Amino acid sequence: MRRMPSRLKLNTLRSQMLIGFLAVMLLILTIVGGLTFHSVSNLLKNNAEKHIQQTAIQTNGRLESILDQIDSLTTLVSTNDYVQRLLLRDLSGSPATFAERQALPPIINLVQLYTDGIKSVELYNKDGARLYPLDDTGLLDKVPENWVKQATTKEGGLVWFGIDPLDSTSLLAIRQVSLVDQYFSTGGYLLIRADRSKFALKGSLSGESEKETMLLLASDGQFITSNDDTISQETVARLADGSNDPTITIGNQSFIVVRQRSSVTGWTLIILTPVNVVTKGISVLRTTIIVSAVGGTLLFTLLSFFLSTLITRPVFQLIKAMRGTRLGILKPIETASATMEIRELNFSYNRMVDNINELIQLVYEKELSRSHTELKALQAQINPHFLFNALDVLYWSLLDRDEDKLADYVVAMSDLFRYTITGSSKGSWVKLRDELDHVERYLLIMKMRFEDRLEWEIEAPDEFADVELPRLLLQPLVENAILHGVESRIEPGRVKLTVARADDRIAITVEDDGIGMDPEKLRSLLEGLESGKVASSKASGVGLANVQRRLQLFFSGNGAQGAEMAIDSSPGHGTRIIIHIPIEGGQVL
């Protein structure tokens, strides 16, 4: 049995069932796994962000506690009665004496005494002249003018600006000293310089090997300190641009960004936590989901394959039995199935096979009887038609002819009648040489009628002399060539019959040099032959239809290499009829 091509294997019922089951399983696993992974990963990230946020609040709170302490102590200094009186006198035009300024250190150094990390506290009057320490340096020599204006607008609040422009190891803060007795007008300024290292961020918040990176930025985005000395200025600039993106990519690593702004200083504490630290649990979850999906898919594939095989095996057995019909073998299926639907299908198929076998036998017998009857009818149709034409020839030949020619004519007519009438009792098949002899006798008789108006030529190699063909197959073609090619002409006409090999068949060509047919008439003739309805004033079409029908009946079992007839004609170039028949002959249905 011929096997189906591999490219059709996907079209089998088992393959479609297996693919369908797997597609549904994979779809469900993908949706469930994706939703689970998404939900759990978001939960882990949110919890990690909340934890980092709480840590940032705590870290920022520790910094603010130190700053609050500095704020409280500088408030005591700015509201000290001696400082207030000294600045009030300076405002009224009585600058402090050297002795009065020497009394300030115990008051101002109170901030350094109770707070670790304060480098110095300086006191300036309203015009920016320094009262303490004892030198002539002005306030604007230490800080930009806009910082002073910003401290003034704060109205006594402590303002932290960031790194000292003159000393990168120090942080600066300015407080306006408001005069209580002058309706809290500006009396002077306190300049606090703190040690930058005291604000350093050290260690890891989570204790992981891959620590978090912490940065402290001033309100204007100025970098203050970090626990990572390798942090680049480009990264600081990206973090200070005001963007609130929850994640940032630095190099080839992604970080979760948590920001906490201080209400005391306006500074922002930024904590960068590597995403892979937060998503360690997600990686385990992803691996678990993938392993479960692969294991479930393999198990489901095995079960689906077993189930699809169990369902489709009886169907394949039925298909195998049906393929036998291509070889003409119709056999019932003896295998019984436990499945009710398959058992009913097998039973119906067996009943159908029995009915078809009975119908085939009946149709074969009827067709065989009909074929023999039709052959006899066609043979009977040929004989009267030919005899009618022979009598017509006899009529024309008897006119003005001597007795010798009439004797030859009678002999030829005798042979023709013997071949036509008595030959049918000898069988339907004849040798090609006998059929060509019959055609030549017919042409001789036609020569007596048309005299010099008819010329003919027969070319047939001896190697084809024993080829068998149906009796009286060529004579109607020659008759058609004479009636349409010679009789329709005033000048002499020519009929040529040629036999040649064409692969495993022989080609018999009958052609004339008559007036031919136009394309419309040729098309009408071919359509008539195809449909079996031929209209012709000289009944030649009936002869062609007879030939074509007998070719179909005698050679119908030879497949693509069976017999066929072709007609070619054009106006002024005559008509050519070619029939192809197998060299080994044919058989009657």
Side-chain angles (χ1 to χ4, degrees):
M1 182 179 295
R2 184 173 62 89
R3 299 181 62 184
M4 295 182 66
S6 58
R7 63 184 179 87
L8 296 179
K9 288 184 179 180
L10 292 178
N11 293 335
T12 62
L13 178 61
R14 181 170 63 180
S15 299
Q16 292 176 352
M17 291 178 63
L18 186 61
I19 292 174
F21 289 158
L22 288 177
V24 173
M25 179 64 179
L26 291 176
L27 180 62
I28 294 175
L29 287 176
T30 302
I31 293 176
V32 174
L35 291 177
T36 302
F37 179 78
H38 180 72
S39 300
V40 175
S41 62
N42 285 340
L43 180 61
L44 290 176
K45 287 182 179 180
N46 291 336
N47 290 338
E49 289 179 3
K50 290 179 181 179
H51 173 71
I52 298 171
Q53 189 72 38
Q54 290 297 326
T55 304
I57 293 174
Q58 294 175 6
T59 304
N60 198 48
R62 289 194 295 269
L63 291 175
E64 288 183 350
S65 65
I66 299 175
L67 298 174
D68 286 339
Q69 185 179 7
I70 297 174
D71 182 64
S72 299
L73 292 173
T74 54
T75 300
L76 290 176
V77 173
S78 65
T79 57
N80 183 269
D81 183 62
Y82 182 77
V83 174
Q84 287 278 323
R85 284 187 288 109
L86 195 65
L87 292 177
L88 181 60
R89 287 174 50 200
D90 188 87
L91 184 64
S92 60
S94 301
T97 64
F98 184 78
E100 291 174 334
R101 292 168 62 185
Q102 283 184 324
L104 289 173
I107 300 172
I108 296 178
N109 290 338
L110 182 68
V111 179
Q112 292 176 280
L113 180 63
Y114 290 99
T115 304
D116 186 28
I118 299 299
K119 287 185 174 183
S120 64
V121 178
E122 302 174 4
L123 178 63
Y124 296 85
N125 65 7
K126 181 180 180 182
D127 296 330
R130 187 156 67 177
L131 301 180
Y132 179 82
L134 303 177
D135 58 28
D136 297 331
T137 304
L139 179 62
L140 295 180
D141 295 332
K142 300 294 184 68
V143 296
E145 183 178 0
N146 64 315
W147 286 18
V148 178
K149 291 181 179 179
Q150 188 174 347
T152 303
T153 58
K154 198 69 174 178
E155 297 181 351
L158 184 64
V159 181
W160 288 90
F161 290 101
I163 301 175
D164 186 351
L166 302 178
D167 183 9
S168 62
T169 63
S170 302
L171 299 177
L172 286 182
I174 303 177
R175 174 187 287 277
Q176 175 196 4
V177 180
S178 301
L179 299 177
V180 178
D181 294 338
Q182 287 291 330
Y183 307 101
F184 297 96
S185 60
T186 303
Y189 299 93
L190 284 176
L191 179 64
I192 298 93
R193 182 177 288 103
D195 190 356
R196 184 180 178 186
S197 63
K198 297 299 181 180
F199 293 86
L201 303 173
K202 299 179 181 180
S204 173
L205 299 176
S206 61
E208 299 287 346
S209 58
E210 297 184 42
K211 64 180 182 178
E212 299 90 345
T213 300
M214 295 179 288
L215 299 90
L216 189 61
L217 303 181
S219 57
D220 59 355
Q222 185 182 34
F223 174 72
I224 296 177
T225 185
S226 173
N227 66 338
D228 187 358
D229 297 335
T230 62
I231 194 76
S232 65
Q233 291 297 326
E234 180 184 358
T235 302
V236 173
R238 290 177 58 188
L239 294 170
D241 64 358
S243 175
N244 293 322
D245 293 338
T247 60
I248 187 173
T249 301
I250 301 175
N252 296 326
Q253 192 172 12
S254 297
F255 295 85
I256 296 176
V257 182
V258 174
R259 293 176 172 86
Q260 183 64 36
R261 185 178 179 83
S262 173
S263 60
V264 176
T265 62
W267 295 351
T268 301
L269 176 66
I270 300 177
I271 300 179
L272 302 179
T273 305
V275 174
N276 56 2
V277 174
V278 177
T279 58
K280 282 185 177 180
I282 299 177
S283 301
V284 176
L285 175 64
R286 183 191 299 113
T287 303
T288 303
I289 291 176
I290 293 175
V291 171
S292 301
V294 172
T297 302
L298 292 177
L299 180 60
F300 191 80
T301 301
L302 294 177
L303 294 177
S304 300
F305 182 79
F306 174 77
L307 179 60
S308 61
T309 302
L310 183 65
I311 295 175
T312 58
R313 180 178 296 170
V315 177
F316 287 155
Q317 291 177 350
L318 181 60
I319 293 174
K320 183 178 180 181
M322 288 182 174
R323 286 176 181 170
T325 58
R326 301 175 184 175
L327 304 177
I329 302 174
L330 290 175
K331 294 182 179 180
I333 299 177
E334 299 179 357
T335 305
S337 175
T339 305
M340 182 179 66
E341 291 81 3
I342 299 299
R343 186 169 60 250
E344 179 64 24
L345 185 62
N346 289 343
F347 176 76
S348 300
Y349 173 76
N350 291 338
R351 291 288 302 273
M352 181 186 68
V353 168
D354 294 338
N355 293 337
I356 291 177
N357 286 331
E358 293 177 359
L359 290 174
I360 289 175
Q361 184 64 26
L362 180 61
V363 170
Y364 176 76
E365 293 176 355
K366 289 184 176 180
E367 184 65 22
L368 186 62
S369 176
R370 184 186 65 81
S371 298
H372 285 293
T373 303
E374 186 173 356
L375 282 175
K376 292 180 180 179
L378 291 173
Q379 184 67 48
Q381 180 183 357
I382 284 291
N383 293 339
H385 181 221
F386 172 71
L387 290 176
F388 175 80
N389 287 306
L391 291 174
D392 187 44
V393 172
L394 179 61
Y395 169 76
W396 290 101
S397 299
L398 288 175
L399 295 177
D400 300 328
R401 298 185 182 274
D402 55 31
E403 295 181 356
D404 293 336
K405 291 183 180 181
L406 289 176
D408 294 337
Y409 173 75
V410 170
V411 172
M413 285 291 296
S414 175
D415 293 337
L416 284 174
F417 288 144
R418 184 179 299 108
Y419 184 83
T420 303
I421 298 175
T422 63
S424 60
S425 61
K426 299 180 181 179
S428 301
W429 296 91
V430 295
K431 302 292 185 180
L432 178 60
R433 68 166 65 90
D434 297 332
E435 185 72 7
L436 293 178
D437 290 341
H438 174 71
V439 169
E440 191 167 6
R441 286 192 292 268
Y442 174 77
L443 288 170
L444 180 60
I445 294 174
M446 291 296 102
K447 178 70 173 177
M448 293 180 181
R449 171 185 173 183
F450 291 99
E451 296 181 349
D452 295 337
R453 290 178 56 201
L454 174 62
E455 297 179 0
W456 77 84
E457 179 182 0
I458 298 177
E459 295 181 1
D462 294 337
E463 59 177 311
F464 304 127
D466 293 330
V467 174
E468 294 187 344
L469 71 165
R471 184 185 300 272
L472 295 177
L473 186 68
L474 303 182
Q475 181 263 326
L477 303 180
V478 175
E479 180 183 3
N480 182 79
I482 294 176
L483 293 179
H484 291 274
V486 178
E487 187 177 12
S488 60
R489 293 166 55 99
I490 298 177
E491 64 274 10
R494 181 179 181 84
V495 176
K496 183 178 182 181
L497 189 152
T498 306
V499 181
R501 176 182 290 273
D503 296 330
D504 295 335
R505 300 183 295 179
I506 61 172
I508 303 176
T509 304
V510 177
E511 55 183 322
D512 61 72
D513 56 356
I515 60 175
M517 292 180 284
D518 57 49
E520 180 64 26
K521 186 175 181 180
L522 178 60
R523 184 184 61 81
S524 176
L525 175 61
L526 294 176
E527 290 179 353
L529 292 175
E530 185 69 24
S531 62
K533 299 178 181 179
V534 181
S536 176
S537 60
K538 296 184 179 182
S540 62
V542 176
L544 294 180
N546 185 294
V547 171
Q548 177 166 295
R549 181 58 178 159
R550 286 196 292 156
L551 287 174
Q552 295 172 350
L553 291 174
F554 278 86
F555 298 97
S556 61
N558 291 77
Q561 293 299 321
E564 60 182 0
M565 181 174 69
I567 302 177
D568 182 25
S569 181
S570 60
H573 294 83
T575 302
R576 179 188 296 110
I577 301 176
I578 305 174
I579 61 173
H580 292 83
I581 61 174
I583 295 178
E584 67 274 8
Q587 57 183 2
V588 184
L589 282 175

